[in-house]
Amino acid sequence: MAEIQRSHPTGKRLAGKVAIVTGGSTGIGKGIARHFADEGASVVVCARGKERLEAASKELTQATGSRVEAVVCDVGVEAQVQAMFKRTLDLFGRLDILVNNAGSNTRELVVDMPFANWNKVINSNLTAVFLTGREALRIMKKQQSGRIINIGSIAAKVPRANSAAYVAAKVGLTGLTRSLALEGRADGIAVSQLNNGNTRTDRWLGRDEQAAKEGIMEIDDVAGIALAMVLLPDGVNVLDGTLTAVNMPFIGRG
Amino acid sequence: MGRLTDKVAIITGARSGIGRGIAEAFAAEGATLVLTARTKDKLETAAQEIAKGGNRVKAIVADVTDEKQVAELFRQTVEAFGRVDILVNNAGTNTRYATVDLPLSEWKRVIETNLTGPFICGREALRLMSKQKSGRIINIASISAKRPRPNAAAYVSSKFGLEGLTRSMALDGRPDNVAVCCIYPGNTWSELKIGREEQQHREGIMEAADIGAMAVAIAALPDGVNMLECEMLPVKQPFIGRG
Ligand SMILES: NC(=O)c1ccc[n+]([C@@H]2O[C@H](COP(=O)([O-])OP(=O)(O)OC[C@H]3O[C@@H](n4cnc5c(N)ncnc54)[C@H](OP(=O)(O)O)[C@@H]3O)[C@@H](O)[C@H]2O)c1
Ligand SMILES: NC(=O)c1ccc[n+]([C@@H]2O[C@H](COP(=O)([O-])OP(=O)(O)OC[C@H]3O[C@@H](n4cnc5c(N)ncnc54)[C@H](OP(=O)(O)O)[C@@H]3O)[C@@H](O)[C@H]2O)c1
């Protein structure tokens, strides 16, 4: 019988690995970047807002002792995405993990939704993942290895009202995840989608009543599962995960 | 200190394969374990090997399709350890026939083991966990719960059904803070795979330890957080596209 391995929760199980986390300046993305860096990975975090991004990169570098580099990038803009991947290769020479976490939402009924809002939400949540996924696949196919995790939402499974663009983007993301997985398969590239429910980030500021009613998870709960997914051996993939508060109104009819 | 220290877990079908892999992974995180299966000597050997890690491990022989034996399993667990924090419904079986040739007896055997068993065990667990106001049930389904393989109607139906049972137990357990979820593994090395090595090589295969690692990540989530679904499979396994 194989010796039972005791776990090393603060080990360096990602030493030598290089990761990009989009939207890594705050919220879930910053939490995931911290978990990866804690395990010894070199991480590139990106976002549009420079100040908050650079503060995050400094904080995570100090806290973890790993290299966490800030690259300002709007993931909805092709040239900026290409420049970020080039910068990552210049810095670290390879790319093992891409986490597509950046995203945004607007809250209004379809009848009130300006076209600009639709475009903004589709662009940052869906088109962005085509742009980053395309660059990542190009690199990972050469390496014959790599892992992409797309942060979806339970909105990819069941819609909320007042969120048509967001829901369309996240359901669309499932299609993109599956397509990237199919096209990366022959080269051993794992592509997955983690669909989380309510998670306590700045998006929830001022919404305490709703959070209490529906239940809410902490950033570390989501980041911990993302870490478990990237610690799986090459060749093993969590294609689809759904993570919610137990109380979340999601399982039954409504 | 392990991530599951102080947790009491019952794992069905734990003498081999995925159940054994989950038991070893839970043991490495400090859990107290009750392992169950029908074959006494193999079950006891597995329990003794896992207990070498220093955990409290108890082997209790039970057939998950037998209401009385399952009630006794839970009674003995509570008597020994006082509570049940985690139930892993893993025991399962398969049969391979084209539907036109599938005997009713085989249909019944597979449905009873893979679907009725988790109902019987899940009901006992929910009764306890509702009183505790905490607990987690992890059902081991299969990617067959999402898309069928040929010649597997009983298995596929049992696993689609297990997804329905998971959702229903999750809904009924919700007011009492009980989390109920499903892991859907693809090909994994186990006794179910003996004689199918060529197919496994072509399609890719995971180790039971891989399922164990995700089961630990789920079991270690705080109370109130649930990973409702976890579909995991070899990167190369044909499943994502059309076929
Ligand atoms: N929080 C929840 O309850 C929840 C639930 C389900 C799913 N999710 C998903 O989880 C992900 C993260 O959510 P969160 O709550 O952590 O969000 P958040 O706190 O709003 O943070 C979003 C991050 O993405 C960046 N970002 C936004 N648009 C960008 C763009 N076009 N290019 C580059 N970076 C961009 C933001 O920085 P800049 O603004 O500076 O660019 C920020 O770093 C999102 O995909 C979201 O849909 C969240
Ligand atoms: N291996 C795979 O590729 C794969 C893929 C997807 C899903 N799964 C699922 O994973 C689970 C475990 O499968 P495995 O591959 O690890 O199979 P396995 O090696 O054949 O193990 C099955 C276990 O279940 C026990 N068992 C069977 N019937 C039982 C009953 N009526 N009461 C109590 N215990 C019973 C067996 O012990 P006794 O015979 O001693 O009772 C054994 O410990 C099953 O639910 C299976 O459907 C497996």
Side-chain angles (χ1 to χ4, degrees):
Chain A
M1 177 210 153
E3 270 293 294
I4 293 174
Q5 293 289 319
R6 299 281 143 183
S7 71
H8 305 282
T10 54
K12 295 289 179 201
R13 293 173 292 181
L14 295 177
K17 301 269 187 197
V18 178
I20 294 177
V21 180
T22 72
S25 63
T26 183
I28 295 166
K30 186 176 170 190
I32 291 174
R34 183 195 304 271
H35 273 66
F36 289 3
D38 262 337
E39 291 288 351
S42 301
V43 184
V44 169
V45 286
C46 86
R48 294 162 305 175
K50 184 164 188 246
E51 222 167 280
R52 188 168 62 169
L53 180 68
E54 287 183 342
S57 114
K58 207 177 271 171
E59 179 194 332
L60 295 187
T61 302
Q62 275 167 8
T64 66
S66 296
R67 283 181 72 183
V68 180
E69 297 281 344
V71 178
V72 174
C73 170
D74 183 332
V75 289
V77 178
E78 187 177 22
Q80 293 188 29
V81 168
Q82 288 175 336
M84 172 175 67
F85 278 80
K86 182 168 176 308
R87 175 93 181 113
T88 303
L89 290 185
D90 288 347
L91 281 167
F92 299 118
R94 57 183 290 112
L95 178 67
D96 300 289
I97 302 160
L98 165 65
V99 179
N100 285 307
N101 161 82
S104 60
N105 192 4
T106 64
R107 245 172 286 279
E108 61 244 318
L109 295 169
V110 170
V111 290
D112 299 324
M113 187 180 291
F115 189 40
N117 286 7
W118 167 271
N119 281 332
K120 174 177 167 264
V121 172
I122 296 291
N123 203 48
S124 64
N125 292 289
L126 180 59
T127 306
V129 177
F130 158 66
L131 292 173
T132 57
R134 190 178 60 174
E135 294 307 314
L137 274 191
R138 285 171 177 166
I139 296 168
M140 290 172 178
K141 276 175 178 289
K142 278 193 210 132
Q143 294 173 179
Q144 294 281 297
S145 75
R147 194 180 286 282
I148 301 175
I149 297 180
N150 295 328
I151 304 299
S153 163
I154 56 172
K157 309 261 171 176
V158 183
R160 246 196 215 285
N162 297 309
S163 297
Y166 184 74
V167 170
K170 294 295 190 184
V171 174
L173 182 61
T174 303
L176 181 59
T177 299
R178 300 296 169 105
S179 298
L180 294 173
L182 197 54
E183 294 187 24
R185 184 164 79 185
D187 298 299
I189 300 160
V191 186
S192 62
Q193 186 161 326
L194 180 55
N195 296 301
N196 56 304
N198 302 347
T199 310
R200 200 185 306 281
T201 67
D202 288 353
R203 285 188 189 193
W204 283 86
L205 291 174
R207 295 163 72 194
D208 292 348
E209 201 186 316
Q210 188 192 354
K213 190 163 61 134
E214 297 182 347
I216 191 161
M217 303 180 289
E218 301 301 328
I219 288 167
D220 281 352
D221 300 333
V222 181
I225 292 293
L227 177 63
M229 286 163 63
V230 303
L231 287 173
L232 289 168
D234 274 4
V236 176
N237 186 28
V238 173
L239 180 64
D240 191 287
T242 304
L243 187 66
T244 72
V246 168
N247 279 339
M248 187 75 203
F250 171 69
I251 304 160
R253 303 177 182 193
Chain B
M1 167 122 170
R3 296 158 79 194
L4 300 178
T5 304
D6 300 332
K7 299 275 187 198
V8 178
I10 296 179
I11 303 173
T12 72
R15 72 162 172 82
S16 60
I18 293 175
R20 169 86 182 244
I22 293 173
E24 289 177 4
F26 278 18
E29 295 293 348
T32 294
L33 296 173
V34 172
L35 308 183
T36 182
R38 292 164 306 175
T39 316
K40 187 164 189 274
D41 52 338
K42 288 189 179 166
L43 178 67
E44 286 177 348
T45 307
Q48 281 159 13
E49 283 172 0
I50 290 168
K52 282 182 194 154
N55 302 71
R56 296 192 295 174
V57 183
K58 201 171 159 62
I60 299 177
V61 173
D63 183 331
V64 295
T65 66
D66 185 313
E67 205 177 0
K68 284 209 187 79
Q69 291 182 31
V70 171
E72 185 58 18
L73 163 71
F74 278 78
R75 196 193 63 72
Q76 286 186 35
T77 302
V78 172
E79 191 177 84
F81 302 124
R83 55 188 290 115
V84 178
D85 298 293
I86 302 162
L87 164 67
V88 181
N89 278 313
N90 163 79
T93 188
N94 194 4
T95 189
R96 252 176 295 275
Y97 288 96
T99 303
V100 288
D101 300 323
L102 177 61
L104 180 59
S105 58
E106 279 298 275
W107 166 271
K108 283 188 172 159
R109 185 180 66 79
V110 173
I111 296 288
E112 278 191 11
T113 310
N114 295 0
L115 182 56
T116 309
F119 158 66
I120 296 173
C121 295
R123 189 179 59 177
E124 290 301 322
L126 274 183
R127 285 171 177 163
L128 282 171
M129 291 172 179
S130 298
K131 277 194 216 129
Q132 293 172 181
K133 299 287 178 205
S134 81
R136 191 178 299 280
I137 300 175
I138 301 176
N139 294 323
I140 306 300
S142 162
I143 56 172
S144 288
K146 303 283 177 181
R147 288 198 258 297
R149 260 194 208 282
N151 304 325
Y155 186 77
V156 169
S157 303
S158 74
K159 295 298 187 180
F160 266 77
L162 184 55
E163 171 160 297
L165 179 65
T166 301
R167 302 298 174 101
S168 296
M169 291 198 301
L171 202 52
D172 291 353
R174 189 163 79 182
D176 296 311
N177 198 32
V178 180
V180 186
C181 72
C182 226
I183 297 180
Y184 305 84
N187 293 338
T188 313
W189 279 121
S190 78
E191 289 180 12
L192 283 181
K193 296 293 182 191
I194 290 170
R196 297 163 70 195
E197 284 77 6
E198 189 277 324
Q199 179 192 4
Q200 302 320 318
H201 182 70
R202 191 164 22 92
E203 297 187 348
I205 191 151
M206 302 182 287
E207 301 290 338
D210 300 332
I211 318 297
M214 284 312 296
V216 164
I218 292 169
L221 286 168
D223 263 11
V225 178
N226 185 25
M227 187 146 181
L228 184 65
E229 302 182 272
C230 178
E231 253 175 78
M232 59 186 299
L233 65 159
V235 169
K236 301 234 152 145
Q237 184 161 5
F239 174 73
I240 302 159
R242 301 177 181 196

